[in-house]
Amino acid sequence: MADSTDPFSASVMRFQMPEQMRAFAEQGMSQARESYSRLKTAAETQNDAIEAAFSSVSKGAGDYSAKLFDIVKSNTEASFDLAQSLVGAKTLPEAFDLWSTHTRKQVESVASQTKELVELTQKLASDTVEPLKAGASKMFTTPAA
């Protein structure tokens, strides 16, 4: 026999959640799932963008190092060529002429080399930022309803 003070008694009415509350809770859960899905997608997109940026930096650093090595090699060869020419000079005016010609060529060369390095640096910066811009663009665009 069931005791009327027993809370687990069959005679006690079960709690029923009003339909509006249930619908509100379901809507909240649905929005939470959708928000989580968007956050997960955004995080994956940003992760991919960061990986692409680091890959670009790595490749760009290799290209930059190779360019610097070429510049150093070229300038060193020019200096050795000058030294060899100066050894063969017969007079002081001839040596001065060789030196001034070398200096003029080196100034032009350094200007050209600097321009190449600036262009390479700009390309590296652009290539590095592009994946991040694309990722941010994807993250801040609203999906079609």
Side-chain angles (χ1 to χ4, degrees):
M1 177 172 197
D3 183 10
S4 64
T5 61
D6 181 10
F8 300 107
S9 168
S11 63
V12 176
M13 286 183 43
R14 294 184 180 209
F15 175 73
Q16 292 286 328
M17 184 182 285
E19 187 60 37
Q20 291 175 335
M21 285 287 283
R22 184 185 317 265
F24 182 73
E26 287 176 2
Q27 181 183 13
M29 286 300 295
S30 175
Q31 288 175 347
R33 283 187 186 105
E34 186 178 320
S35 294
Y36 170 75
S37 176
R38 285 185 192 163
L39 180 63
K40 181 181 173 195
T41 300
E44 289 171 350
T45 299
Q46 282 305 100
N47 190 38
D48 292 344
I50 290 170
E51 286 177 7
F54 277 115
S55 175
S56 177
V57 166
S58 177
K59 181 189 178 308
D63 293 347
Y64 197 85
S65 294
K67 179 53 78 176
L68 283 176
F69 183 76
D70 287 345
I71 288 171
V72 168
K73 180 182 172 197
S74 172
N75 291 344
T76 301
E77 288 173 355
S79 294
F80 281 135
D81 290 346
L82 171 65
Q84 188 176 12
S85 297
L86 288 174
V87 168
K90 305 278 188 236
T91 64
L92 190 58
E94 182 183 354
F96 183 73
D97 186 44
L98 290 170
W99 185 276
S100 64
T101 301
H102 168 77
T103 303
R104 187 181 71 254
K105 286 180 182 177
Q106 280 305 105
V107 167
E108 292 170 1
S109 179
V110 167
S112 173
Q113 293 164 348
T114 301
K115 181 181 176 189
E116 289 176 24
L117 287 175
V118 166
E119 289 171 354
L120 189 58
T121 302
Q122 289 172 340
K123 181 182 181 319
L124 172 62
S126 176
D127 291 351
T128 300
V129 170
E130 193 56 42
L132 297 174
K133 279 178 34 181
S137 175
K138 287 179 187 176
M139 196 166 98
F140 292 112
T141 56
T142 55

